[in-house]
Amino acid sequence: MPKVWNGDGIIASLRTTSSVRHVKNLHLPVVDVGIMVPKYDWLARVATDDAARGKMAFEHLRDRGLTHFACYAPPIGRYSDVRSMAFADAVVAGGYPCAMYEATRDDAAGWLTNYSNVRRWLATLPRPLGIFAADPYPARQLVEICSVESIRIPDEVAVLSGDDDELLCNVASPQISAVELASHRIGETAAQMLERMMNGGATMKLATLIPPLRVRGRHSTDILAMSDDEIAEVLQFIRDRAPLGITVADLLKKFPISRRRLEQRFRAELDRSPAEEIRRVRMAHVGRLLLDSDKPVSTIAAETGFATGASLSQAFSQHFGTTPGKYRRQNRAI
């Protein structure tokens, strides 16, 4: 910090031991908004819940019918190892192995241009494959390598970034799906915490972890890799029509299959029922409308097949554990 600066508190994203020493020597209240360095007693921390991020990423890929998973997180100093390990833990908890990219000595020197190691790694992995890339930079590298190697995205390899950057993810070809973080909520929480500390409040010993908002789906994960082709068709129908309000009865009218058989095959492919999938897709669509538009709840209810705003609010609260209004206020950027 400039020597002439005379502040009362600091919100920082600490990445190195030198930055930690520098900030500590200022003898001011500090809130760290990352997890690149250990949690010291003299600073507070507000950051993304990596376990929730890993689970969300795994569920997004698994919902597309993928059963082979990998994690690509080269050591580039932009994120903690916790991010990739959280994804691997979620995959293993789901009953699948997770291949991890092992960095070589060459990677540390030039990871952006050293494609040969990544190409060899990709060649050893089964397909179709879902890969979690730690953030948009390695995600873009993967997309570029796959393009050079004529590996089709998302048909052979689906790529999901652990963090969203609208520029990097949208200019890639194909565009890259990403986990959208509650960055505004992290900032607001950090500011409130710092204010309390500057007014004499104690430094919180435990980190405050904020779950991510959602996966912002783009073309890089637009796949339904189901072994059951008919269930893949049913799933596509649900994703097209659930936002408008459909029921399992509508599925049975559209597809020549008994309800019991439909339930069994859904459980085998997705480990949930058709009704649960309809509800999940519908509520996810409602959540997107709340965050991406200024429409009142009553208008969103009419667009998504609910009789009233009250009935939408009840269903939303049961699914998300909070009201639509509170969800919008807490998670939407100003």
Side-chain angles (χ1 to χ4, degrees):
M1 300 297 298
K3 292 182 179 180
V4 295
W5 182 72
N6 189 30
D8 299 305
I10 299 170
I11 295 176
S13 180
L14 300 174
R15 294 176 180 269
T16 64
T17 54
S18 60
S19 64
V20 171
R21 286 195 302 268
H22 176 69
V23 169
K24 185 179 182 181
N25 288 337
L26 296 173
H27 303 292
L28 293 172
V30 178
V31 179
D32 181 20
V33 292
I35 58 169
M36 291 293 291
V37 298
K39 170 69 171 75
Y40 299 99
D41 290 340
W42 53 269
L43 59 77
R45 173 167 289 159
V46 181
T48 296
D49 186 334
D50 279 315
R53 182 198 332 240
K55 183 179 180 183
M56 184 179 289
F58 166 66
E59 289 177 347
H60 178 80
L61 294 172
R62 182 68 190 95
D63 287 344
R64 274 128 193 87
L66 295 164
T67 56
H68 303 296
F69 304 94
C71 181
Y72 180 59
I76 59 175
R78 289 179 52 87
Y79 40 77
S80 166
D81 292 341
V82 175
R83 187 178 299 191
S84 55
M85 293 310 301
F87 174 75
D89 289 344
V91 172
V92 172
Y96 302 92
C98 183
M100 305 292 288
Y101 178 72
E102 300 293 337
T104 67
R105 188 171 300 176
D106 294 338
D107 290 326
W111 71 276
L112 276 173
T113 55
N114 182 17
Y115 288 0
S116 58
N117 293 331
V118 185
R119 285 200 297 261
R120 286 193 293 268
W121 178 65
L122 287 173
T124 67
L125 302 177
R127 299 173 191 171
L129 173 71
I131 301 183
F132 174 79
D135 87 350
Y137 287 88
R140 282 202 66 197
Q141 186 190 30
L142 273 177
V143 168
E144 292 169 1
I145 293 171
C146 287
S147 177
V148 171
E149 295 296 300
S150 298
I151 298 172
R152 290 174 294 123
I153 296 176
D155 302 286
E156 294 181 87
V157 173
V159 178
L160 174 63
S161 170
D163 200 346
D164 193 24
D165 181 307
E166 289 196 9
L167 175 62
L168 291 176
C169 291
N170 283 320
V171 300
S173 182
Q175 293 181 337
I176 301 169
S177 298
V179 178
E180 183 180 354
L181 308 185
S183 301
H184 45 283
R185 187 176 173 195
I186 291 172
E188 185 179 57
T189 304
Q192 293 169 349
M193 188 177 292
L194 183 63
E195 183 180 30
R196 289 195 299 269
M197 293 165 64
M198 290 190 300
N199 289 329
T203 300
M204 295 183 64
K205 295 186 178 300
L206 297 178
T208 298
L209 300 179
I210 308 295
L213 292 179
R214 56 182 169 172
V215 171
R216 187 173 286 277
R218 299 185 179 98
H219 184 61
S220 69
T221 59
D222 188 12
I223 182 176
L224 283 175
M226 299 287 170
S227 59
D228 189 325
D229 292 339
E230 187 174 20
I231 294 303
E233 289 184 34
V234 176
L235 271 174
Q236 190 59 60
F237 182 80
I238 289 174
R239 290 174 186 181
D240 292 341
R241 303 294 181 85
L244 305 176
I246 61 171
T247 65
V248 176
D250 294 314
L251 302 182
L252 299 177
K253 291 177 184 177
K254 175 71 175 177
F255 299 94
I257 185 174
S258 70
R259 184 169 190 135
R260 183 171 182 274
R261 188 70 181 130
L262 182 65
E263 294 270 355
Q264 290 174 336
R265 289 162 70 176
F266 250 77
R267 291 287 182 188
E269 289 287 347
L270 292 175
D271 196 30
R272 58 175 168 263
S273 70
E276 289 170 336
E277 178 65 8
I278 290 171
R279 185 162 51 251
R280 186 190 70 82
V281 173
R282 193 181 190 189
M283 288 297 102
H285 181 65
V286 170
R288 285 194 295 272
L289 290 176
L290 287 168
L291 297 182
D292 296 341
S293 75
D294 295 319
K295 296 176 181 179
V297 172
S298 58
T299 301
I300 293 175
E303 292 180 358
T304 53
F306 287 93
T308 63
S311 59
L312 182 150
S313 295
Q314 182 179 11
F316 191 89
S317 297
Q318 290 174 347
H319 186 79
F320 284 104
T322 187
T323 65
K326 189 174 182 180
Y327 179 85
R328 175 179 267 170
R329 288 192 301 272
Q330 288 184 336
N331 296 316
R332 187 175 177 182
I334 297 173

